[in-house]
Amino acid sequence: MRSSTIPFIAVSLIVLEMNCVTKESITRRSQLHDPLERGPITVLTNDTTLYELNAYRVDDSVLTCSGSRVKNGIQEKFSGSIDFRKIVLIQSRKTGIVQYVGAGIAIGAFALTAATSLGSPMGLTVTPTEAVHGPGGGSSCPFIYSWNGERYVLEAEAFGAALAQSLEYESSSVLRQIQERQSEVRVRITNERPETHYFNSVRMLAVEHDPRATLYVDGENNLWPVYEITSPLEARDKKGSSILHAIGAMDSQYWESDFPHTDASADFEDELEIMFSKPKGVERGTLVIDAANTRISDIVIEHIMRYLGDKYLEFLYALEHDAELQGLYKQWIEESALKISVAGKGTWESYGSIPPEANEASFSKAVRISVPSEDTTVQIRLRALNDVWKLDAIRVDWTPVRPVYGKELSLMSGMTSNGSDAAELLEQPDQKYLMLLPPEYVDLNYRAAQPARGKKISYVLYAKGFLYEWMRGIAENSHAARSLVDPLRIPHLKKLLQNKNLFLPSIYAEWAEEKQRGK
């Protein structure tokens, strides 16, 4: 559900032919007026319904149409109208040509007015605007900024792995740079990518704690105070080379995978072993991992889009409804996660994993570990899919602690860049969503908390939601997309996802070229 008046999906038309791509902006309603000229269209709406439409016309803020639809796995005839506010993507077909109508490809370049502009002969009105951050390259995440007393600064990214509503989850971030202003704390959440963001809820917690402690969040969104953090004694990669200089301190000097040695015989896996000293008699500690993710996910998404061709919207629909595909996706997220284990008596004990989270903003995670009390050193192993992670620092605190809890703050205001009030949509998780298209943002103001004497307040933001990636401009259709008959593309993709030795080599080859160009 969108809070603004009648917004229309920012439109760019990507025409995929056998060997080339052209782009055409759709700025007038006449461009969707003639079904004979434009051909049948496929429409995906924000309730995950997939429409195949043979007849349609634009009537002010709705698309009046007829054809068929698939909802909850059931196909039926359809005749009626679709509100533009509910449309996520439109796919248009001509003979021999596949065309994608996606929301504004130029990131930070245009903001659209209300969809009622489609009802006028002048068509859509576009206004130049500037993105707050505007980094180059890819990424899939809403960006979270906090007000530091002078300006908004990038602090975190939210629910970047939730590529469908069926995969929705809540992410959490400690806002370390946020500063009070006139008894308020302020957050700006932006969409700066070619994707549609849906926010179910956003909440801010104020956590009162010992001023000597720094708060870290774990994989279950619990908060842990850290006091005396120590660096490793040793740290080595899979080849036995020392990496202590890269991960001993939080200094933005990242350890990165020795990528050229990636091969199937090594199971496409990075593995690090790290040794810490430990006070005798201590049985529990808090491992702190400071990291970021690489952009290899961009290559993966582009490969999938090329492979699917004009079946991309059907893939999104399947990701919402197909339990097997959802399971494969979650399996790959776990494959990409940073897995933590601790050496025990003749075995390695698992302490869970940290899923990929952000590649623009660095992030920190806490992992609680248990160790034999009589030992004076502890050996920790980290494993992950090759070149998914960049590690800044791996440290540990042996101080006995308990988790800390916060108080949820009142949302004083939540205004979008379009001037609409989003507060009611974000206050609690429900079936109402705030939708942001690029380069839109929402400003959230919370009443600041006042600490008790001798205490400190830290602020933690929890954002729940999901996103849809837009079809990207790809230079050419893959051989698979051209040669496979339509019904086989998604089933065949599932087979690829089940076999990393088939799925990964071409991705890593392209990623190696991308890294070389970036040097």
Side-chain angles (χ1 to χ4, degrees):
M1 179 174 184
R2 189 176 171 83
S3 58
S4 52
T5 49
I6 309 285
F8 180 67
I9 291 182
V11 283
S12 254
L13 186 62
I14 304 173
V15 182
L16 292 171
E17 299 183 81
M18 279 296 185
N19 295 305
C20 67
V21 172
T22 60
K23 296 183 180 180
E24 171 191 352
S25 296
I26 296 180
T27 59
R28 291 179 174 82
R29 58 182 293 172
S30 59
Q31 290 179 272
L32 285 175
H33 269 183
D34 191 350
L36 294 177
E37 169 65 22
R38 187 64 56 196
I41 62 174
T42 303
V43 175
L44 181 68
T45 55
N46 60 11
D47 63 353
T48 73
T49 301
L50 193 67
Y51 296 82
E52 296 285 349
L53 305 176
N54 299 313
Y56 50 88
R57 69 175 186 271
V58 176
D59 292 327
D60 294 326
S61 61
V62 300
L63 191 66
T64 301
C65 48
S66 63
S68 64
R69 69 179 178 187
V70 180
K71 187 171 185 177
N72 299 323
I74 300 174
Q75 185 169 8
E76 58 187 4
K77 291 183 178 181
F78 175 80
S79 180
S81 62
I82 305 172
D83 192 323
F84 278 120
R85 292 178 299 182
K86 298 182 178 181
I87 294 177
V88 176
L89 291 170
I90 302 174
Q91 172 183 300
S92 173
R93 297 189 185 190
K94 281 186 179 180
T95 304
I97 299 178
V98 180
Q99 303 171 331
Y100 285 89
V101 181
I105 297 303
I107 303 306
F110 299 102
L112 296 187
T113 60
T116 48
S117 59
L118 274 181
S120 70
M122 299 302 293
L124 289 171
T125 302
V126 295
T127 306
T129 188
E130 181 179 355
V132 181
H133 183 55
S139 179
S140 294
C141 286
F143 289 163
I144 298 172
Y145 297 83
S146 71
W147 181 261
N148 72 353
E150 296 181 356
R151 60 189 177 89
Y152 283 107
V153 292
L154 181 63
E155 290 259 37
E157 301 174 42
F159 53 78
L163 300 188
Q165 188 174 14
S166 63
L167 304 168
E168 178 179 310
Y169 67 91
E170 184 174 60
S171 58
S172 57
S173 309
V174 181
L175 305 181
R176 305 199 186 280
Q177 301 184 68
I178 197 166
Q179 296 292 326
E180 180 182 330
R181 178 183 177 184
Q182 297 176 348
S183 299
E184 295 180 2
V185 285
R186 303 183 178 188
V187 172
R188 173 171 289 179
I189 304 178
T190 68
N191 182 349
E192 301 173 31
R193 298 301 187 196
E195 51 201 33
T196 305
H197 297 163
Y198 291 91
F199 295 86
N200 195 333
S201 64
V202 180
R203 56 195 182 98
M204 178 83 83
L205 262 63
V207 184
E208 187 176 77
H209 60 91
D210 188 330
R212 297 172 298 166
T214 302
L215 292 191
Y216 292 88
V217 66
D218 69 12
E220 303 297 324
N221 289 337
N222 300 311
L223 293 162
W224 296 93
V226 168
Y227 288 85
E228 298 179 13
I229 199 162
T230 59
S231 297
L233 296 175
E234 293 181 4
R236 298 189 179 277
D237 63 14
K238 202 167 190 175
K239 296 186 299 179
S241 302
S242 176
I243 59 169
L244 189 60
H245 63 284
I247 67 166
M250 190 175 176
D251 53 10
S252 298
Q253 300 298 314
Y254 292 94
W255 168 86
E256 295 191 50
S257 177
D258 188 6
F259 180 74
H261 293 86
T262 297
D263 57 45
S265 64
D267 204 29
F268 300 102
E269 186 177 73
D270 288 317
E271 182 177 294
L272 309 179
E273 289 196 10
I274 305 161
M275 179 184 288
F276 292 94
S277 62
K278 182 189 74 69
K280 194 170 184 178
V282 172
E283 296 182 335
R284 302 215 65 190
T286 305
L287 185 69
V288 176
I289 298 174
D290 303 294
N293 297 116
T294 70
R295 296 186 179 280
I296 194 171
S297 58
D298 295 338
I299 303 299
V300 174
I301 291 170
E302 288 170 6
H303 266 251
I304 290 174
M305 288 181 175
R306 280 200 297 266
Y307 185 85
L308 291 168
D310 64 340
K311 291 298 176 182
Y312 178 60
L313 291 194
E314 292 186 23
F315 168 76
L316 291 183
Y317 179 84
L319 200 54
E320 293 288 9
H321 300 281
D322 186 327
E324 182 185 15
L325 185 60
Q326 292 167 7
L328 288 169
Y329 178 83
K330 292 174 183 177
Q331 178 181 317
W332 274 102
I333 293 298
E334 180 58 27
E335 190 83 29
S336 304
L338 189 67
K339 303 165 190 67
I340 300 98
S341 53
V342 178
K345 296 180 179 179
T347 186
W348 289 91
E349 185 174 353
S350 174
Y351 282 88
S353 60
I354 302 171
E357 182 169 316
N359 54 30
E360 283 296 334
S362 59
F363 56 94
S364 302
K365 291 293 181 183
V367 180
R368 291 288 288 170
I369 59 174
S370 297
V371 293
S373 63
E374 66 273 13
D375 290 354
T376 56
T377 61
V378 59
Q379 195 84 3
I380 293 174
R381 177 181 287 172
L382 304 179
R383 296 181 298 114
L385 199 64
N386 279 125
D387 220 20
V388 173
W389 289 84
K390 302 189 299 180
L391 301 176
D392 189 5
I394 313 293
R395 298 167 294 168
V396 69
D397 178 24
W398 300 112
T399 307
V401 293
R402 294 173 180 246
V404 295
Y405 303 94
K407 179 180 179 181
E408 192 164 333
L409 299 180
S410 298
L411 179 59
M412 299 178 64
S413 66
M415 299 299 295
T416 70
S417 50
N418 292 330
S420 57
D421 189 347
E424 184 180 349
L425 297 173
L426 299 176
E427 285 180 327
Q428 59 185 6
D430 50 26
Q431 293 305 306
K432 299 177 181 178
Y433 289 80
L434 169 68
M435 183 174 75
L436 290 183
L437 300 169
E440 295 174 342
Y441 60 85
V442 59
D443 284 336
L444 306 175
N445 296 344
Y446 295 88
R447 189 176 301 282
Q450 298 304 314
R453 186 174 181 179
K455 296 291 185 178
K456 175 185 176 181
I457 294 291
S458 289
Y459 293 96
V460 186
L461 192 78
Y462 294 79
K464 185 176 184 181
F466 68 98
L467 59 90
Y468 285 127
E469 288 267 3
W470 295 346
M471 187 73 181
R472 299 178 183 178
I474 298 170
E476 60 183 44
N477 284 328
S478 69
H479 173 74
R482 296 197 302 268
S483 60
L484 280 176
V485 295
D486 285 353
L488 295 181
R489 289 187 204 168
I490 293 177
H492 199 262
L493 176 62
K494 290 180 184 179
K495 296 295 184 184
L496 284 177
L497 293 175
Q498 291 169 358
N499 190 331
K500 67 170 69 174
N501 291 331
L502 292 176
F503 183 62
L504 289 178
S506 61
I507 288 172
Y508 277 119
E510 186 170 339
W511 176 238
E513 294 176 2
E514 183 71 19
K515 290 185 73 174
Q516 188 64 34
R517 285 194 294 268
K519 288 184 178 179

